[in-house]
Amino acid sequence: MILFPAIDLKNGQCVRLEQGDMARATVFNLNPAAQAQSFVEQGFEYLHVVDLDGAFAGKPVNAQAVEAMLKAIKIPVQLGGGIRDLATVEAWLDKGISRVIIGTAAVRDPELVKAAAKKFPGRVAVGLDARDGKVAVEGWAETSQVTVLEIAQRFEDAGVAAIIFTDIARDGLLKGLNLDATIALADAISIPVIASGGLASIEDVKAMLTPRARKLAGAIAGRALYDGRLDPAAALTLIRDARRS
């Protein structure tokens, strides 16, 4: 299991939203590259970045901040937000992003995901953000009529590296991961699933390491890290010990 620290970008700054609402943003760091560096120093081995403005605009907006992070750190970075065509996928991978996350376009244009995953094996993930089980798109501003499982199943044989499943109702509220829904999704498909939304404490990390969650590929931690509710050293030690055993 990989624990991904999250950097969400809005106006070039590192923020956290509550339930995906851009009006409920807390700025945690004015310098995303320094924040990324801090996560590396804490021992994290993979960074999760979202261009929030890009998710709404449908194209990259915080490219400068992302490029500054890529210069500052050497660990792999996965990036989502505003990636809606093959040219954007290719451009980010060329710049050093390890894995792109396609969200809205996975719902609206599944053929893009399939083409990208075929062209760049292992480097394309699908971000599925759900409100009451239905997938939300356009930076969570709209809810579709399709379930997470229906979309995930479209990509079963496409070579997608991971599905990142976010429960919007919990995101940024520190209510704990929705492990039941995430595990149910992981059990129903063969693509690795990463849990996101609501990770609140070391208890969530422990729950990720129980036998019932063994199919999960990782979890994304945001506000709990910024608020100091999750001790990075303790969480990473737990994960390392679990890998050894």
Side-chain angles (χ1 to χ4, degrees), residues 111-168:
E111 293 310 312
L112 166 66
V113 174
K114 292 174 184 174
K118 188 176 179 185
K119 190 170 183 183
F120 305 106
R123 301 189 69 189
V124 176
V126 169
L128 296 181
D129 308 321
R131 193 181 273 118
D132 302 323
K134 299 286 172 64
V135 176
V137 293
E138 305 292 346
W140 302 354
E142 298 173 29
T143 306
S144 73
Q145 290 309 305
V146 203
T147 68
V148 170
L149 183 57
E150 283 172 307
I151 304 256
Q153 285 173 330
R154 291 177 187 170
F155 305 117
E156 270 290 37
D157 302 315
V160 166
I163 300 273
I164 296 161
F165 171 64
T166 304
D167 183 342
I168 296 171

Side-chain angles (χ1 to χ4, degrees), residues 38-56:
S38 168
F39 284 140
V40 172
E41 286 162 7
Q42 287 166 17
F44 289 100
E45 42 192 53
Y46 210 128
L47 185 63
H48 174 82
V49 179
V50 178
D51 179 350
L52 293 172
D53 300 303
F56 282 90

